[in-house]
Amino acid sequence: MKNYNHLITDVLVIGSGGAGMRAAISAHDDGANVMILSKGRLGVSGSTVTACADVSVDSNSITKLLGFNGDIEDSKEQFAADTIKSGWGLNHKELVDVFADQAPRRVKELIDWGAKVENFAISPGHTYRRAIIIKGNNFAHTLARQIRLRPTIQVLEGVIALDIIVKDRCATGVYAVNIMNGEFTTISAKSIIIATGGAMNVFPVTTAPNDLMGDGMAMAYRAGAKMVDMEFQTFLMGCCSPSSLIGNNYPFVLMCRAGAHLYNREGERFMEKWDPERREKSTRDKIAVASTLEILEGRGGRNGGVWVSVRHIPKNLFEYYTEWYEGKKTGFDEKDFLPDLMQDGIESMPSAHFWNGGIKIDTDCSTGIEGLFAAGECAGGIHGANRLSGNAMSEILVTGNIAGHSAARTAASAQVTTPSKEEEYAYYKKLEDMFCGNGSEDPVVLKKQLQKTAWETIGPVREQKELERAIRICDEVENKIPHLCCHGDRVYNKEWIDAMSLANMCDIIRITAAAAAHRKESRSSHYRKDYNKPNDSMFCNITVEKSNGQLKMSNCSVSTQKVQGVQQI
């Protein structure tokens, strides 16, 4: 076996999106030596750079702290209340309070660093105007510039973390691989921050970049951390045709901004059955469930979707809207890849957009494993059953900052612990053996099988027998992992990368299916055909952890009161 490298740092940040970069900045400024592991290039990988993006801050603070023309009647308390209402009351109240309180300062900080504000608007679900529009690429590049202004922060690009090394319930480092040269690297750290985003690519169609596979959540689960609210995902309408735009959320934008209509194969505007008053302006969870049922019941199209149409909108009005909308984005024009929208609809389907649950954290972003912290979308608790629009971008700033300070504080009094040579050799040998030629299982085939399974079982519509099938298939695929066979060499080998992600996919799908099977009701984006109404006895958070090698679930009491006036599925 080839030699492997061994690196040491105080604080190791896994993930280089918004949360990871913000965490690294805080840890560095507290005096820690910091290292960032990034699957891709700093500032251009992860989901932050792809956001449109609204950043939520209470309107009172927007007026007094940021100088915009907001509404002083708003408050941090009302912002927190709206966040909890959107989450159907399953949010961790203490986390929400910290989030609402710190968001204004973190956003002002970003603007002071040079982030460009494009607009100020109201987003769905908010009582007041709170959406500060900052394009995702500008948001990410602003943070990346701050990283580069701190040259002692070491950034390892093209490096994938594979597993967290744990000793006596203390995180001590990670096993990793450099996909640019195929070399294995063990990194020992006094504290670790997971900032790897969501797990949307366990589904075949997603609005997210293709590197968001749930790696960090799965690694934390295997390390012993608890997962919370994993049954709640956000799906929104994305293209399923043409192939060049699969997952692109332009259909969703046309519905919520331009007033597009949804039709099934029979020409019915089916949202009239689900929400006669709001129809296509309904909540994302209702639209996702309704569209999925239309597809599953045989009223979809050739590519497995329903149709988003703007034919009822006057041509000159639609052209004016699209000209305005494209001007607010990065210059990419979806219409270049679509048919004439004044004549034809866009075939669309619910696409995985956001992971509302994740690693269970406290208000200091600790995971319950000594030295292990989490920030951003991979962390659960703030959103509950559903994320309020715009809160994702504020969340990565707030939790990234907190996690960075917490990790630096822990590292200041911790010692470096390294694995034994025997442990390293045994771990890396399994990965190298995938190239020995003795295996018979194709990792690409297994990945596609898992994605198909995820859509059919833990997508917007669920039922007990399908959730149980998901767990069985994950077990079967996991048993095949020792028999994988990869071809070629180890440099930029996509087949090998897929092979190394299979265990994470199995864990994420299995955890989600188990939590969804345990929640015998329908609530927000979690819809059960066999339990299609909310059940007051399930007003709780469900946590999942790995205990003695087995998946263990618990019901946890909610720190908020039941929310009145929440839209029911």
Side-chain angles (χ1 to χ4, degrees):
M1 185 168 65
K2 292 183 179 180
N3 293 331
Y4 37 84
N5 302 313
H6 198 155
L7 304 174
I8 296 175
T9 189
D10 292 338
V11 175
L12 176 65
V13 181
I14 307 174
S16 67
M21 288 190 285
R22 189 62 192 82
I25 291 166
S26 292
H28 168 276
D29 290 355
D30 279 357
N33 293 318
V34 180
M35 181 183 294
I36 300 175
L37 297 191
S38 176
K39 274 187 175 181
R41 297 288 302 277
L42 183 77
V44 294
S45 62
S47 60
T48 302
V49 71
T50 67
C52 278
D54 49 333
V55 186
S56 294
V57 177
D58 73 275
S59 199
N60 186 301
S61 295
I62 284 174
T63 303
K64 295 181 177 179
L65 189 64
L66 302 180
F68 291 95
N69 186 23
D71 194 327
I72 61 172
E73 296 299 317
D74 194 13
S75 65
K76 293 175 180 178
E77 292 75 19
Q78 183 60 53
F79 181 24
D82 286 354
T83 296
I84 290 169
K85 182 176 180 179
S86 176
W88 289 55
L90 295 185
N91 320 62
H92 186 310
K93 185 178 185 303
E94 290 77 10
L95 278 175
V96 174
D97 289 342
V98 169
F99 162 69
D101 178 63
Q102 294 193 16
R105 282 170 283 165
R106 300 287 78 81
V107 174
K108 182 180 187 304
E109 197 170 49
L110 189 74
I111 295 171
D112 289 344
W113 285 341
K116 181 182 177 183
V117 176
E118 302 283 338
N119 198 5
F120 175 45
I122 187 167
S123 292
H126 290 271
T127 305
Y128 298 92
R129 286 202 302 164
R130 300 186 181 124
I132 297 172
I133 310 299
I134 302 174
K135 290 177 182 177
N137 58 354
N138 181 255
F139 191 109
H141 294 166
T142 300
L143 290 172
R145 185 165 56 250
Q146 290 298 312
I147 296 291
R148 296 187 180 101
L149 290 173
R150 295 161 172 81
T152 57
I153 297 178
Q154 188 174 0
V155 182
L156 302 184
E157 296 179 329
V159 177
I160 300 176
L162 302 171
D163 262 310
I164 297 166
I165 303 168
V166 179
K167 185 173 183 179
D168 300 325
R169 281 191 65 80
C170 179
T172 62
V174 300
Y175 296 120
V177 62
N178 186 322
I179 60 174
M180 293 190 290
N181 57 25
E183 292 182 354
F184 299 123
T185 301
T186 301
I187 304 167
S188 295
K190 298 177 182 178
S191 60
I192 300 170
I193 300 169
I194 301 177
T196 51
M200 286 73 74
N201 276 278
V202 301
F203 294 98
V205 180
T206 170
T207 66
N210 60 14
D211 55 349
L212 296 177
M213 299 295 302
D215 300 337
M217 290 189 280
M219 288 189 291
Y221 167 73
R222 291 194 293 270
K226 291 183 178 181
M227 315 300 292
V228 66
D229 299 331
M230 286 291 284
E231 66 273 31
F232 297 113
Q233 293 81 38
T234 295
F235 296 85
L236 53 79
M237 299 306 290
C239 295
C240 57
S241 175
S243 59
S244 56
L245 287 183
I246 288 179
N248 185 289
N249 68 351
Y250 193 51
F252 167 74
V253 172
L254 291 179
M255 285 192 300
C256 70
R257 301 294 186 192
H261 292 171
L262 268 171
Y263 294 96
N264 63 19
R265 188 177 65 186
E266 298 170 2
E268 295 175 318
R269 195 177 165 193
F270 57 87
M271 282 308 299
E272 292 179 344
K273 296 182 294 185
W274 285 81
D275 194 338
E277 182 178 343
R278 292 180 298 178
R279 290 168 288 194
E280 290 83 9
K281 299 278 188 185
S282 186
T283 55
R284 293 180 292 192
D285 48 7
K286 276 191 178 183
I287 291 171
V289 169
S291 300
T292 303
L293 286 173
E294 293 294 321
I295 295 164
L296 294 178
E297 293 171 5
R299 294 185 292 276
R302 293 187 183 91
N303 299 293
V306 290
W307 286 268
V308 173
S309 172
V310 296
R311 281 192 64 180
H312 60 285
I313 301 173
K315 183 178 180 180
N316 59 347
L317 175 59
F318 180 65
E319 288 176 346
Y320 173 75
Y321 164 75
T322 53
E323 178 185 337
W324 171 86
Y325 172 70
E326 294 303 333
K328 297 297 180 186
K329 293 178 62 187
T330 57
F332 177 76
D333 192 344
E334 291 89 345
K335 299 192 301 301
D336 291 342
F337 298 83
L338 292 169
D340 181 358
L341 297 184
M342 299 314 300
Q343 297 296 323
D344 299 318
I346 307 173
E347 194 171 347
S348 311
M349 67 183 294
S351 307
H353 180 66
F354 191 83
W355 216 271
N356 295 303
I359 306 164
K360 190 175 188 296
I361 59 171
D362 293 329
T363 53
D364 62 353
C365 289
S366 62
T367 66
I369 305 299
E370 182 67 26
L372 185 63
F373 304 86
E377 188 178 352
C378 68
I382 288 178
H383 307 297
N386 185 41
R387 174 176 62 80
L388 189 62
S389 179
N391 280 13
M393 303 301 282
S394 305
E395 176 196 21
I396 63 180
L397 295 175
V398 172
T399 58
N401 176 65
I402 294 171
H405 288 309
S406 298
R409 186 167 55 248
T410 296
S413 58
Q415 301 295 317
V416 172
T417 303
T418 61
S420 68
K421 293 295 183 183
E422 292 76 17
E423 290 170 323
E424 284 183 300
Y425 179 83
Y427 186 89
Y428 291 132
K429 187 175 187 302
K430 292 184 295 183
L431 301 179
E432 191 168 68
D433 284 350
M434 293 177 182
F435 287 95
C436 69
N438 296 328
S440 59
E441 298 293 341
D442 186 333
V444 177
V445 170
L446 293 180
K447 178 183 176 181
K448 289 181 178 179
Q449 180 186 4
L450 286 173
Q451 289 177 320
K452 182 175 183 290
T453 299
W455 168 249
E456 294 172 346
T457 61
I458 61 170
V461 175
R462 303 161 176 179
E463 57 183 319
Q464 189 72 24
K465 63 180 182 180
E466 289 298 290
L467 295 168
E468 293 171 355
R469 181 170 73 89
I471 294 172
R472 287 198 305 273
I473 290 174
C474 286
D475 292 343
E476 292 168 4
V477 170
E478 195 166 63
N479 290 332
K480 294 177 180 179
I481 289 177
H483 309 290
L484 291 170
C485 181
C486 300
H487 304 87
D489 60 32
R490 291 170 15 178
V491 177
Y492 276 122
N493 190 317
K494 183 66 168 61
E495 190 177 57
W496 193 36
I497 295 170
D498 285 345
M500 291 185 288
S501 73
L502 287 175
N504 295 336
M505 293 181 70
C506 287
D507 281 334
I508 295 297
I509 295 171
R510 186 188 292 113
I511 293 166
T512 302
H518 188 69
R519 185 173 288 282
K520 292 180 169 56
E521 64 162 356
S522 290
R523 188 182 295 271
S524 187
S525 57
H526 167 74
Y527 181 83
R528 292 279 302 259
K529 285 181 70 175
D530 41 0
Y531 298 93
N532 63 5
K533 300 292 182 184
N535 178 357
D536 283 350
S537 68
M538 293 302 302
F539 185 72
C540 63
N541 297 114
I542 296 171
T543 62
V544 183
E545 62 183 307
K546 194 167 188 177
S547 178
N548 297 319
Q550 300 297 314
L551 186 150
K552 175 185 174 184
M553 283 186 295
S554 303
N555 291 359
C556 299
S557 59
V558 179
S559 59
T560 65
Q561 298 297 314
K562 287 181 184 173
V563 177
Q564 302 299 317
V566 171
Q567 292 295 325
Q568 305 292 309
I569 288 181

